[in-house]
């Protein structure tokens, strides 16, 4: 698989130095000629959802650093299309966005399965041709999505597991040191 499309994962090369994306996995939600965007799915943000959105009454719902663009926006992906209207399907059974006010109501009512939704502050964006250039530079490894890993709740393992899911050649990369010069 080497085609950019919604629903694929961009796994950061083990030696990618950009601090925003080192050892990250990005779920690509949109890819068009004008540009692309997605969310880093494995880097937890320091604040919780109720700290960012006062209308949320349930404490300790994690928020993830979606990327460095528009850090004043909240986004979400989910597996709950029957409860959350207006989402865009980015992969079979995985949706981006929808009616945020309804999400807040469902959280406050205690009826939303929090294992099937993930919130992000900011997003990752690329202008026309930028992501293709980064692929040419081998900054990213393209992979198919593994929904259970994406929503596993074990963010520390998503990068390693995504590499291991690609097979033996990539599984070895999952254990590369962060800075090989320290070896």
């Amino acid at each position: 698989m080497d085609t950019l499309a919604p629903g694929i994962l961009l796994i950061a090369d083990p030696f990618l130095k950009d601090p925003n994306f080192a050892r990250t996995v990005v779920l690509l939600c949109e890819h068009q000629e004008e540009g692309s965007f997605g969310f880093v799915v494995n880097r937890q943000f320091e604040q919780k959802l109720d700290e960012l959105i006062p209308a949320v009454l349930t404490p300790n719902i994690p928020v993830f650093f979606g990327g460095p663009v528009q850090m004043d926006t909240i986004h979400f992906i989910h597996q709950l299309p029957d409860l959350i209207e207006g989402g865009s399907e980015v992969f079979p059974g995985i949706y981006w966005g929808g009616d945020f006010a309804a999400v807040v109501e469902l959280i406050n009512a205690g009826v939303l399965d929090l294992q099937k939704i993930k919130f992000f502050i900011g997003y990752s964006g690329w202008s026309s041709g930028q992501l293709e250039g980064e692929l040419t530079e081998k900054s990213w490894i393209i992979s198919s999505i593994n929904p259970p890993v994406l929503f596993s709740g074990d963010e520390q393992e998503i990068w390693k597991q995504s590499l291991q899911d690609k097979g033996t050649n990539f599984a070895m990369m999952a254990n590369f040191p962060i800075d090989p010069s320290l070896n």
Side-chain angles (χ1 to χ4, degrees):
M1 158 177 285
D2 56 5
T3 305
L4 290 172
I8 63 116
L9 297 179
L10 300 171
I11 305 168
D13 179 83
F15 304 114
L16 182 65
K17 296 285 188 231
D18 182 333
N20 289 309
F21 297 107
R23 304 273 165 138
T24 61
V25 175
V26 175
L27 170 64
L28 198 61
C29 290
E30 193 167 289
H31 177 70
Q32 298 180 1
E33 197 165 312
E34 309 84 64
S36 309
F37 88 92
F39 304 108
V40 173
V41 297
N42 65 324
R43 185 169 292 163
Q44 207 161 341
F45 192 65
E46 60 268 7
Q47 290 178 288
K48 304 295 185 193
L49 191 61
D50 62 302
E51 296 171 301
L52 298 168
I53 308 290
V56 174
L57 304 177
T58 304
N60 298 318
I61 297 172
V63 175
F64 295 84
F65 170 77
V69 183
Q70 288 190 340
M71 291 288 295
D72 58 347
T73 59
I74 299 286
H75 305 269
F76 61 97
I77 59 171
H78 61 90
Q79 297 176 304
L80 303 163
D82 296 340
L83 290 175
I84 303 169
E85 292 184 10
S88 300
E89 193 170 34
V90 295
F91 184 81
I94 297 180
Y95 297 79
W96 156 59
D99 184 344
F100 189 75
V103 169
V104 171
E105 287 178 24
L106 291 166
I107 290 171
N108 290 342
V111 296
L112 201 62
D113 182 347
L114 297 175
Q115 303 300 311
K116 294 187 179 230
I117 191 165
K118 207 165 195 172
F119 296 93
F120 304 95
I121 187 162
Y123 65 90
S124 302
W126 295 267
S127 59
S128 179
Q130 184 182 5
L131 184 53
E132 290 83 352
E134 291 180 13
L135 286 170
T136 301
E137 296 167 359
K138 306 257 188 258
S139 297
W140 300 102
I141 298 161
I142 295 177
S143 179
S144 56
I145 195 169
N146 180 344
V149 171
L150 193 64
F151 289 94
S152 71
D154 189 359
E155 286 67 42
Q156 301 301 317
E157 290 300 312
I158 291 176
W159 182 80
K160 282 185 172 186
Q161 186 63 53
S162 296
L163 282 171
Q164 291 167 350
D165 287 349
K166 285 199 58 77
T168 308
N169 291 343
F170 291 96
M172 292 186 317
M173 297 170 92
N175 296 312
F176 283 0
I178 291 175
D179 187 348
S181 67
L182 298 177
N183 243 2

